[in-house]
Amino acid sequence: MAKQPAKRATVAEPESDEEAAADLPEAKVVSEEDREDPLRMVKLGGFAFVLIAGWAFVIFANHRHITAPVVFVCLAYFAILMTVVNLWRTGAAVADARTVDDWQRPIGARGELLKEKKTLLKAIKEAEFDFAMGKLSKADSDALIKDYRARAIEVIKELDRGSGTEKSAREQIEAEVKARLALDAQNKPSKRAKNEAAKQAAKSASAQERRDVADAKINAGSVDRRAASEPEPAPPGEVIEQQTAEEPKSTATGESS
Amino acid sequence: MSEQNVPFSPIAVVGTLALLAAFLTAAWSFASGIAGNARKSRRLVNASVYGLYGFGALIGLASSLMIYAFVSHDFSLKYVANASDTTMPTIYKVTAFWGGLDGSLLFWVLVLAIFSTIAIVVNHKRHRDMIGYVVATIMAVQLFFLSLLLFTKNPFATFLTTPPIDGQGLNPLLQNYWMVIHPPSLYTGFVAATIPFAFGVGALASGRLDDMWLGSVRVWMLICFGFLSLGLILGGRWAYEELGWGGYWAWDPVENAGLMPWFTATAFLHSAIIQEQRGTMKTWNLSLVIITFFLTVFGTFMTRSGAVQSVHAFGEDNVLALQFIVFMAVILIVSIGLLVYRSNKLTARTEFDSFYSREFAFLLNNWILLGCAFFVLFATMFPTISEAINGERVSVGPDFFNKWMTPLGLVLLFLAGAAPLLAWRKTTRERLINQFAFPLAAAAVTIIVLLIVWPQTKHLTPMFARQIKLPVSLINFGLVAFVCASIGQEFWRGLVVRRRQTGADHFSSLVGLVLAKRRKYGGYIIHLGVALIFFGFAGKAYERMYDRTVEKPGPAAANGTGPSSFGIGSFTGPFSTSDYYFSYENLFHTSDDHKDAITAQIGIYDSGDRIGTVYPAKWDFHKGDGQMTTEVAIRVRALEDVYVVLTGYDLDTSLANFRVYINPLILWVWTGFLVLAFGTLVCLIPQAVVDRMQWKPRTRLGRAADVGLVVTVVLALLGGLASQARADAPSGAAGAGAEHVPAGMGMGKAGGGYAAMNRPANETEARAMKEVACPCGCARQSIHDCDCATAAQLRAKVQGLLAGTDLSNDAARTKAYESVLAAFTSEYGQKVLLTPKSDVSWLFPSLAVVGGLGLLAFAGRRWLARGNKHPAQPVAMTAAAQALDDEYADKLDDELAETD
């Protein structure tokens, strides 16, 4: 886990995917000083007062005639005030001990994923639109959309992973097994498949016999146990069961880990 | 010198101090930006950002003081005294701020300060991990220009002795409505290229080279493109109205300085789309950003250093030239160094699926645009290059540019119509036929109709070399029809699909379509504008020029004929035949504090009907060093402009010389620009604005109001443009005074007048006269077009050289033509010719074009091979994984349903 600094700028979570992916700085990095400055309005008011007072002075000094020179004198006065304010802020920024060195990107990885998702969604829509307009053939359109969809799904998965809505490992395994069993139940095994299954079962059985013999020889201390205990490759569905069954045996024979 | 003679100007003191303070602030901001980013110190980065804001305020102060000095007539400042006087209208006093070299540099700094403030305010949170480098880059550029201001061209410099009571006034040529807005828009375009460059350097320096950088840069480059387009078209409009030679573009070096970055900015806007779609061409895009910025600085260098000669240039300054050269070298070294340093992050392999794809069309478009930029650069600098190599400066006239740029432009026009019809990745043969059928048919029909109705379009024009001739006008019109049909088809088919998807009415669907896909459809609108501009360009080949002299004014008959009238013969223009008569009705001499004006009143008749009254004039500014300005009078018509110039007069006898141009289709150049500008604005509409708009179909009244508003705005802009294109009628109809016209202003017998003297009698004379440059310092016109006395004398010389020569066949005519040019070059040097004769002038561009196309073909085949070698592999998934993915697929479908 990344080391957390003592103070962190609060990252306001975007309210929706669209908000996070929009061009304007929607993921507002609300720094401490912005949030906690109660004098902000007072300062703005003071600035406005000084500005208007200065302008009023200039205009009244010119007998209330607003001529071209008066306009530019007023602009120059405004520029002077802005200079003072910003040079002050320059110095204050350097001296501000409250500033946090939050160098992390404001949007962060999630924001980039959201942007990528938006790009892919638009690309899918564009491909559909191009097909509807007759620019793309059906085959090209389908291939393009399929590619974009695959990528978009990966991005959504990644987003779910990041937001914690992804299923736990146990839940994922259970879902996979369930789906697999459902699929198996749907598919009627063909005769050939049945024969294959029988052959595999026979092979497994003979392998098990060989292992028993090897165990016996090991116990007798005269056979290379490792060569004899190599199981035959088995289909994935069965691997789980076999592994689950083998572990206690390994433990029981006292193999060193 | 006693102390009281040394003038003291508080404005000069405060202004110089402001520039000094700005320089220090920029230096601080530059250093803290780099240090902050490199050391990941938020404090230093924030300080550099505020420093940038403070810098902007200081420059605002200096600029306000400078303009105050102009409007308050503080002639103790040399710059104010040189560029202003007490009699100038206030608006021109304000615009004089950027009228001279010193002020133009300060104006550049001001505009960049404003733009950079906006860019940083909008982007400093989104790009906070590289904003320090961005600020530092901008400040580096500002430091360079400020150093010019402080140490070389200080606009606040004062006289050391008693200042003048009044100033010299602004150059009369600059006292024009279009000159008020042309320089700011062009400078804005130049300056806008700095922002993408700064972000590019920031991305390279920080290593953040993902697409987020691209999104920000693309918007600023679009702004750069928009303002450069505006600046170029306004410059053309100014030249059309103010210079009096009937044209709007002469490939002048200053014009070219704005055109070169326009090409590369346009190229970037297209290739950025490829990067967004395919994730490739990162190095290419970064290079384009760098080249665009470099060309803006190079253009500034050209116009301020004396490297090129132009009536628009500021003059020669070797010190300034050296400073610019050093700055450009630094730009190149730093940029290329960063590109090489980050090359490992930029190595996305470019690959294509097919030549018939939008990617390849964009790539071809990029190469041609880049080629155009470098050709214009080469041709503009060719006089300087030739002088450096063999000590002799040659001239490069419009014909040389047109021979190359016309065919390249036509290819670009074709791509503007073809690319929208192609799909991303691959377009099958069947789809190609389906997409291209209608536009090609429109082009074919247009060509056939023109051949029947307007046979002049068959005229052959030399391309690349004199030996290669093509019916350029016909091809141009055909391609315009192709592009218009292509864009129209895109809109129509998109509208149909949109209606099917949303169930909305036509108007709502159209608005929804454009707003949902505004980058695409805004781009299509821009392409349409470009097509209209090319439509206007096509008319240039059919312009006619007539010189006439009328001895005295008088009334005309109802159909325009009379002793004071003149005709120009029947003129067959685009789809119409005009029979123009011009009645010379009066000659006024008016005077005010500012100038003397000699104005003629001309009634224009077409086929017996009076179509308008115009007032061509000559203005003699009191402070203008005796230089008179030409105030042309233009009668704008849909298919042609009638352009009348008063080329000479005699106030005693009221004799007047006129030159009349008939300029077909020129209105469409300005109209095309308006469409282009509208398309640019559509592309720039922010997402936030789109999100707030209602999507449900609105009431009929609302829709009608929207349409009415748009039409009103467009017509108002168009009307504003058209109304400005007319010389003002004199305020009071004064009788002819007793003032004689100065020598050389067109005095002479009936039929005389320098413009009308020694006109070419045959094609060989005309060809030779068009090749010889007039040395009078006009806008690089040939002796055929210039209306001065020198041009008339040189025309006589041409006629003398050709007198008695055999002109019976092509070979004889060519021999005679070559002998005339040889005689002129032996007397005046190569610079007298408008088309350079050296082998390099055609060899280099030829090699570049052939080589470039060859390289593109080779690279294209390689990228195509890469694309075919890595087809998308179907992902082998287990059934369990498939089930899980089905769940996500449903999620994806939900999100797609909400996406527009």
Side-chain angles (χ1 to χ4, degrees), chain B residues 3 5 15 23 88 165 248 254 330 346 368 429 433 472 516 520 529 533 563 616 640 690 754 783 795 839:
Chain B
E3 203 176 71
N5 287 338
F23 187 88
M88 269 167 49
I165 297 169
Y248 47 87
V254 177
V330 168
L346 297 168
I368 293 176
R429 186 184 165 140
I433 295 170
V472 170
K520 181 199 271 192
I533 290 173
E640 62 208 10
V690 173
Y754 297 116
I783 57 174
R795 285 197 297 272
D839 292 337

Side-chain angles (χ1 to χ4, degrees), chain B residues 510-534:
Chain B
L510 182 64
V511 171
L513 177 72
V514 171
L515 289 179
K517 299 175 191 306
R518 56 194 178 283
R519 285 176 54 190
K520 181 199 271 192
Y521 282 88
Y524 288 170
I525 296 171
I526 292 173
H527 284 195
L528 191 63
V530 169
L532 292 177
I533 290 173
F534 269 79

Side-chain angles (χ1 to χ4, degrees), chain A residues 50-255:
Chain A
V50 170
L51 178 67
I52 292 170
W55 283 353
F57 174 76
V58 168
I59 292 170
F60 275 91
N62 200 51
H63 310 292
R64 286 179 288 175
H65 290 138
I66 300 181
T67 58
V70 168
V71 168
F72 288 102
V73 167
C74 289
L75 279 174
Y77 177 69
F78 173 69
I80 290 171
L81 288 185
M82 290 304 293
T83 302
V84 168
V85 164
N86 283 295
L87 291 183
W88 173 268
R89 287 167 86 186
T90 300
V94 176
D96 189 355
R98 294 177 302 164
T99 305
V100 180
D101 278 338
D102 52 341
W103 211 254
Q104 186 184 354
R105 296 178 69 85
I107 295 178
R110 181 182 169 77
E112 294 187 33
L113 285 171
L114 285 165
K115 192 170 165 60
E116 188 181 349
K117 185 184 77 171
K118 183 183 171 184
T119 304
L120 288 165
L121 291 174
K122 282 199 171 281
I124 294 169
K125 289 298 231 187
E126 185 75 20
E128 289 171 352
F129 200 81
D130 280 352
F131 169 65
M133 283 185 60
K135 277 191 201 156
L136 279 174
S137 63
K138 185 84 172 70
D140 288 340
S141 166
D142 288 345
L144 208 56
I145 290 172
K146 188 175 172 185
D147 184 35
Y148 286 142
R149 285 183 69 94
R151 282 159 58 188
I153 286 171
E154 289 305 313
V155 170
I156 294 174
K157 281 182 190 173
E158 198 60 40
L159 282 166
D160 281 350
R161 221 168 276 146
S163 63
T165 58
E166 192 201 9
K167 297 175 183 171
S168 67
R170 187 177 186 82
E171 286 169 347
Q172 281 185 33
I173 292 170
E174 286 178 359
E176 282 189 28
V177 168
K178 208 172 170 180
R180 179 68 181 168
L181 289 173
L183 194 67
D184 285 343
Q186 279 175 18
N187 295 333
K188 280 187 186 176
S190 62
K191 192 174 181 183
R192 187 177 174 185
K194 278 186 191 171
N195 290 339
E196 283 293 325
K199 277 184 189 172
Q200 287 296 333
K203 274 187 187 171
S204 300
S206 65
Q208 186 61 44
E209 278 176 14
R210 281 200 296 277
R211 273 197 291 278
D212 290 342
V213 167
D215 283 345
K217 284 183 179 173
I218 285 169
N219 286 338
S222 61
V223 176
D224 183 5
R225 187 161 173 276
R226 196 190 306 155
S229 65
E230 285 258 338
E232 294 285 340
E238 293 175 20
V239 167
I240 296 169
E241 292 162 1
Q242 284 188 0
Q243 283 174 351
T244 311
E246 275 179 0
E247 275 167 22
K249 258 197 181 173
S250 302
T251 307
T253 52
E255 279 185 25

